[in-house]
Amino acid sequence: MDFHPTEEQAAAAGLATRILSDLATHERLAEAGTGSDAELWKALTTAGLAAAVEEIGLLGLVLLLEEQGRTTAQVPYAATCVYGILPVAAHGSPEQRARLLPALGTGEAVATGAFPERGRITADGGRLTGTAPAVPWLRDATHVLVPDADRALWLVRTDAPGVRTSPVETTAPWSAGRLTLTAAEGERLGADGAYEDALAAARTAFAGLQAGVCAGSLARAVEYTSTREQFGRPLSTNQGVMLRAADAYMDTEAIRVTTYEAAWRIDQGLPAHEHALTAAWWASEAGKRVVHAGQHLHGGLGADLDHPVHRHFLWGRQLDAYLGCGSELLAELGASIAASSACASTAEGEQA
């Protein structure tokens, strides 16, 4: 494994850091409310940070999503990349790639995904029917990547006949919506295995976003406890505060390293199903602990909506729910490991 970023990945991450630091400020986030920041999204796409994902790969995307998570910037960056650019680039036909990738790269088109698949949507001859109750960034999307009950992937335009969307408020301000399909026309994307690839990439990318959310929460907690004094000394000198912050740091690093491993393996074309599940589990379980710690270390300020740390808490809890709670992910991971072991045992028996 090589987690050192390439020159292109490092340059993209540095550019994203500058843009997000300048525009994803506390004041602008408060002004945006629960919607997305159109000006910031335009700045990111104009700088080529969406189109660059084709070149920098999933690991490069994870580095950029960490920067978004640190600022809790309200833009459909993760959704457009993992439910649009990456699956179209990997599984689209030459015609689909030529038609869709330029628009997605410039921000003219915005993608999202009706993931995870829960068997709510069925396909009949390319016509999709069913409901996805909460799709992130649906209010901004022009295209939705929809898995049907048989785990085939379909691209659906949000302005197509038979497609209805309605706003849904989630824990984090993700411009989410409810997607209702009634014999809506879908465009098939990829063949067998495309769903599994898209799901692994999405889990890994959103885990990277959680790593950034946690790092941002912890940075704010460290700054606050280092400057806030009680009984004549900074809060950070109290052993209980130091231990809580140290645990949060280790949890954040565990999210980061498992996410990097999964992203690197996917970029290298190696099996990564269980690695993506591991990253998602750490992001769900450890991420929840970190954002709770970040809020608690701020004392009463942690519950003040005028203080920016509350956004990290809301994003952390939303990512926990979106990835699938820890016990659900752990059950899926255990089943996958058991199935792999059974296959290996069968193969060894046949060779004997």
Side-chain angles (χ1 to χ4, degrees):
M1 294 176 289
D2 183 3
F3 295 162
H4 292 92
T6 65
E7 184 177 345
E8 292 78 9
Q9 290 170 340
L15 179 57
T17 299
R18 290 195 295 273
I19 294 174
L20 292 167
S21 298
D22 289 344
L23 295 181
T25 61
H26 174 54
E27 293 74 22
R28 286 178 62 88
L29 289 168
E31 184 180 345
T34 61
S36 58
D37 187 332
E39 182 181 346
L40 175 55
W41 178 234
K42 183 178 180 179
L44 291 170
T45 54
T46 300
L49 291 176
V53 173
E54 289 186 71
E55 299 298 327
I56 63 177
L58 185 57
L59 182 56
L61 174 60
V62 165
L63 296 175
L64 270 62
L65 290 178
E66 281 192 74
E67 300 306 321
Q68 181 187 358
R70 283 188 177 92
T71 59
T72 61
Q74 293 169 201
V75 288
Y77 188 53
T80 292
C81 291
V82 296
Y83 297 130
I85 294 173
L86 289 179
V88 170
H91 299 287
S93 66
E95 187 277 330
Q96 286 174 322
R97 292 197 294 270
R99 171 167 47 89
L100 295 168
L101 289 176
L104 290 167
T106 61
E108 178 186 349
V110 174
T112 188
F115 279 66
E117 182 269 324
R118 308 285 187 185
R120 296 188 179 99
I121 296 174
T122 58
D124 182 8
R127 296 285 178 173
L128 305 177
T129 299
T131 301
V135 179
W137 307 107
L138 182 62
R139 295 179 228 171
D140 300 329
T142 58
H143 296 76
V144 186
L145 188 65
V146 178
D148 65 21
D150 296 322
R151 297 191 169 184
L153 289 183
W154 305 84
L155 269 176
V156 177
R157 290 192 60 93
T158 55
D159 60 358
V163 179
R164 183 163 58 89
T165 65
S166 55
V168 170
E169 295 301 336
T170 52
T171 302
W174 282 6
S175 296
R178 179 183 179 89
L179 176 69
T180 303
L181 304 175
T182 307
E185 184 177 356
E187 177 182 0
R188 182 69 187 270
L189 182 68
D192 293 342
Y195 168 81
E196 287 74 15
D197 290 349
L199 180 59
R203 281 171 164 163
T204 303
F206 280 97
L209 188 61
Q210 182 75 300
V213 169
C214 291
S217 175
L218 182 58
R220 292 188 184 280
V222 169
E223 179 183 10
Y224 175 75
T225 56
S226 297
T227 56
R228 174 76 163 87
E229 291 191 359
Q230 192 174 58
F231 304 115
R233 62 178 185 175
L235 286 173
S236 60
T237 61
N238 293 322
Q239 188 178 42
V241 172
M242 289 190 286
L243 290 173
R244 192 78 189 276
D247 285 343
Y249 174 79
M250 289 188 291
D251 274 338
T252 301
E253 288 303 298
I255 299 170
R256 179 178 287 117
V257 72
T258 53
T259 301
Y260 285 5
E261 181 182 15
W264 179 84
R265 290 183 68 89
I266 290 172
D267 283 343
Q268 297 299 314
L270 299 172
H273 172 69
E274 292 169 6
H275 300 80
L277 274 170
T278 301
W281 181 83
W282 272 105
S284 177
E285 284 290 291
K288 182 167 50 182
R289 291 195 296 266
V290 173
V291 296
H292 273 265
Q295 190 175 39
H296 290 166
L297 289 173
H298 277 80
L301 280 180
D304 184 356
L305 297 184
D306 290 329
H307 194 282
V309 74
H310 82 278
R311 294 192 183 89
H312 296 273
F313 178 80
L314 295 178
W315 277 65
R317 292 312 307 259
Q318 181 63 42
L319 283 161
D320 167 38
Y322 186 66
L323 287 165
C325 67
S327 58
E328 181 181 3
L329 291 165
L330 198 60
E332 185 178 346
L333 177 59
S336 178
I337 292 172
S340 298
S341 298
C343 290
S345 299
T346 302
E348 289 176 1
E350 291 176 350
Q351 290 177 356

